[in-house]
Amino acid sequence: MVEAPAIQADAPPAPPCALVIFGASGDLTKRLLMPSLYNLAHEGVLDPNFAIIGVDRVEHTDQSFREHLTDAVEELAAKNHPIDREVWQWLVSRAIYITGDFDGAGAYEQLKERLASRQTDVGDANAVFYMAVTPRFFATIAEQLGAADLLTESDTAFRRFVVEKPFGTDLASAKALNARLLAVAEESQIYRMDHFLGKETVQNVMALRFGNGMFEPIWSREYVDHVQITAAETVGVEQRGRFYDATGALRDMVPNHMFQLLAMVAMEPPNSFDADAVRTEKSKVIQAIRQMRPGEAATHVVRGQYRAGEVLGKPVADYREEPDVSPESHTETYIAIKCMIDNWRWNGVPFYIRTGKALATRRTEIAIHFKRAPGVLFRENPDCTLAPNVLVIHVQPDEGISLRFAAKVPGRKVRLAEVDMDFRYADYFQSAPSTGYETLIYDCLSGDPTLFQRADNIEAGWAAVDPILKATAAGMIDVHGYAAGTSGPTMADVLLAQDGSQWLPLERERPR
């Protein structure tokens, strides 16, 4: 076996473990999981006894599986940055493969034999089962693992499994899936992954709030006018038309990604960084999101669908003309929602959420709009109109934090202008290439569930959007067209304008 390369890590190696990937021949494995594992190996945080066991219906030997992974990583490396051959060889030499169906007992018997052999060879019985498969297999695989006695833990061995989103399609299906998973495993063994939470800036929201005495005292309804959370994409549905037309922007993004960003911003301070302490506070916030009455959905929600246009200089077809999309589709590719949180800290403060595809620019950010300062001092000076202060947390693609405030323009006359202070992570910290999965995989191997969702968190998110799904099914919320390459439907602007606010422009330059 190839020896581990000598690399200085900034964290202790994760415990020895076999990472079992169901769907090992699929796109998620080659595009994200293996590059992430390579980055972790390059950091030196994988144990010398770390192993990969691929499981899929596609025929492979151990050697052909390794060659398949190598081809995929080299293709990505050609587009991004060269790989360290020594590190990659160390990692891929630990990969073996099992061919079998997910719903048949044969693959699980082979897996049990491989894990038993590993325990004999290296004395390690730890295993993490990663479901890189379509959601319809989540419960099936978990139940087969349970039937094969592969989820039983001991004092010397852990067993965990990772579930990617989407976790259900509505409240009823999420509850049903949770019930099936919890019938064969403990909550502590289930890691429900949302890759948004692996981004450094998202995790730094807590550091910004709770590590700085200047922010936490003003992080409440007394000082905050409203909050905007944006996740804009330039890509359309591409080759995912069949999945997306049955799902839409609401199901795809809001109960998971968007509500997790909301929870990080709005949660109460946990009493520690213990996983359950953090997740409990996040769950409380999502449970406090006001569920809309049937008539409210029409005034609190805007649905959009992109039409033909141009994004970043390239033509984009009408959504209804995309492959595998119905020409009569009413599925939304854009959604904006006005959320209210019924708790003491945020009572009366709107949280506006927007997310969509084929928009003018790629941008994920959280914007805290503070209330205007009393303008008594400047009320008679037309050059001194006070704009509200805005704190923007840039999640992607250019991670950092900006603060907009008023300052006097140099000169004899008193005039005010808006200025920005801007912090970019790249200017202060040297970061290694990342897919966004590295932290989450490392935490799962290490047994830290802080950034993963509990069952109550998942169900609370679906409970908040369930009235919107029902109103949409009843035809109460129209879908508005918007040209690809714009900021979305004009009705989304009306959503804020009726409250006297406006979105931050998607197309704007960060200050330098």
Side-chain angles (χ1 to χ4, degrees):
M1 184 170 285
V2 179
E3 292 296 323
I7 298 171
Q8 186 65 39
D10 69 348
C17 173
L19 178 64
V20 182
I21 305 175
F22 290 91
S25 296
D27 183 64
L28 177 63
T29 300
K30 69 179 183 181
R31 184 171 53 87
L32 291 170
L33 297 188
M34 290 309 299
S36 300
L37 289 169
Y38 164 78
N39 289 337
L40 290 174
H42 195 270
E43 292 175 29
V45 294
L46 295 181
D47 189 88
N49 286 326
F50 176 77
I52 299 168
I53 303 177
V55 182
D56 211 334
R57 292 172 292 184
V58 178
E59 290 282 347
H60 269 305
T61 63
D62 291 351
Q63 184 58 34
S64 68
F65 178 53
R66 292 168 185 169
E67 291 170 356
H68 167 75
L69 297 178
T70 299
D71 290 344
V73 168
E74 287 185 340
E75 181 180 341
L76 289 172
K79 298 177 182 177
N80 300 302
H81 57 88
I83 63 172
D84 184 319
R85 300 285 174 181
E86 183 183 1
V87 174
W88 174 252
Q89 189 58 37
W90 178 88
L91 178 64
V92 79
S93 68
R94 284 156 171 72
I96 59 176
Y97 192 83
I98 295 171
T99 302
D101 292 328
F102 301 143
D103 52 3
Y108 300 90
E109 289 303 319
Q110 291 184 62
L111 177 57
K112 193 170 186 177
E113 291 174 7
R114 293 270 191 157
L115 291 174
S117 175
R118 172 178 165 78
Q119 185 172 10
T120 301
D121 293 342
V122 300
D124 170 48
N126 295 329
V128 171
F129 305 100
Y130 197 114
M131 301 189 194
V133 296
T134 59
R136 65 190 178 95
F137 288 116
F138 291 168
T140 298
I141 293 173
E143 288 166 349
Q144 290 283 3
L145 289 171
D149 197 29
L150 287 169
L151 293 176
T152 303
E153 296 188 303
S154 69
D155 293 340
T156 58
F158 62 74
R159 297 293 168 95
R160 306 171 185 138
F161 62 89
V162 183
V163 183
E164 283 269 357
K165 73 132 184 133
F167 198 90
T169 58
D170 55 20
L171 179 58
S173 60
K175 284 184 173 180
L177 179 55
N178 273 329
R180 291 179 69 180
L181 297 184
L182 291 168
V184 295
E186 299 296 326
E187 175 64 44
S188 61
Q189 294 177 271
I190 306 171
Y191 286 65
R192 301 172 186 83
M193 179 178 284
D194 184 340
H195 68 264
F196 255 42
L197 297 186
K199 298 184 182 299
E200 286 287 346
T201 317
V202 175
Q203 298 171 56
N204 270 285
V205 173
M206 286 200 293
L208 175 73
R209 283 188 59 189
F210 306 133
N212 294 284
M214 71 179 82
F215 291 127
E216 179 56 25
I218 61 172
W219 211 270
S220 67
R221 58 187 167 85
E222 287 85 1
Y223 299 98
V224 175
D225 180 79
H226 71 276
V227 178
Q228 299 178 14
I229 303 177
T230 298
E233 299 179 85
T234 54
V235 297
V237 294
E238 298 180 315
Q239 305 305 311
R240 300 171 67 229
R242 190 180 307 279
F243 162 79
Y244 200 86
D245 205 39
T247 305
L250 177 61
R251 285 186 170 96
D252 190 40
M253 292 289 288
V254 175
N256 37 68
H257 294 339
M258 305 307 286
F259 280 176
Q260 286 302 303
L261 294 178
L262 181 150
M264 297 289 271
V265 173
M267 64 189 281
E268 291 296 316
N271 58 19
S272 72
F273 273 103
D274 177 75
D276 273 335
V278 173
R279 296 197 296 178
T280 294
E281 295 303 335
K282 288 166 58 179
S283 183
K284 286 179 182 177
V285 170
I286 297 176
Q287 290 174 21
I289 296 174
R290 185 183 302 167
Q291 295 187 25
M292 297 178 194
R293 295 186 293 271
E296 287 181 314
T299 58
H300 285 56
V301 179
V302 174
R303 299 170 64 240
Q305 187 183 86
Y306 66 81
R307 301 289 175 248
E310 189 175 279
V311 178
L312 303 178
K314 297 182 179 179
V316 174
D318 190 301
Y319 172 75
R320 293 175 177 177
E321 297 176 357
E322 297 278 19
D324 298 319
V325 172
S326 167
E328 308 295 327
S329 175
H330 290 277
T331 298
E332 77 283 346
T333 61
Y334 175 103
I335 191 154
I337 306 173
K338 175 184 175 181
C339 299
M340 305 300 295
I341 299 177
D342 288 334
N343 65 15
W344 186 266
R345 181 183 291 264
W346 298 112
N347 182 53
V349 177
F351 282 70
Y352 300 104
I353 291 171
R354 61 173 169 172
T355 182
K357 290 188 173 295
L359 296 174
T361 190
R362 176 172 173 255
R363 183 187 296 275
T364 301
E365 66 184 17
I366 302 162
I368 315 296
H369 291 247
F370 293 94
K371 293 180 178 179
R372 295 177 188 269
V376 177
L377 183 61
F378 307 102
R379 65 188 175 206
E380 295 180 0
N381 191 334
D383 295 323
C384 295
T385 302
L386 294 179
N389 304 131
V390 182
L391 178 69
V392 182
I393 302 166
H394 305 275
V395 177
Q396 65 180 16
D398 191 8
E399 298 182 345
I401 299 167
S402 300
L403 177 63
R404 186 178 72 193
F405 59 97
K408 179 184 175 296
V409 177
R412 306 289 176 261
K413 189 177 179 181
V414 176
R415 291 182 297 136
L416 298 182
E418 294 178 12
V419 297
D420 289 274
M421 288 195 302
D422 192 59
F423 156 66
R424 297 169 188 256
Y425 280 95
D427 292 342
Y428 286 82
F429 305 110
Q430 185 176 5
S431 58
S434 171
T435 66
Y437 274 69
E438 288 85 357
T439 295
L440 297 170
I441 293 174
Y442 175 79
D443 285 354
C444 186
L445 299 178
S446 301
D448 182 355
T450 305
L451 297 177
F452 297 83
Q453 299 186 65
R454 286 190 321 212
D456 57 345
N457 196 313
I458 293 283
E459 292 176 13
W462 281 115
V465 304
D466 216 43
I468 303 174
L469 292 172
K470 290 177 179 176
T472 299
M476 299 174 66
I477 310 176
D478 295 331
V479 63
H480 304 274
Y482 64 94
T486 63
S487 296
T490 56
M491 285 302 296
D493 297 325
V494 175
L495 179 67
L496 270 68
Q498 64 190 5
D499 293 336
S501 302
Q502 61 184 22
W503 295 106
L504 285 182
L506 280 185
E507 293 184 279
R508 67 183 196 278
E509 293 294 325
R510 291 234 350 233
R512 274 293 184 186

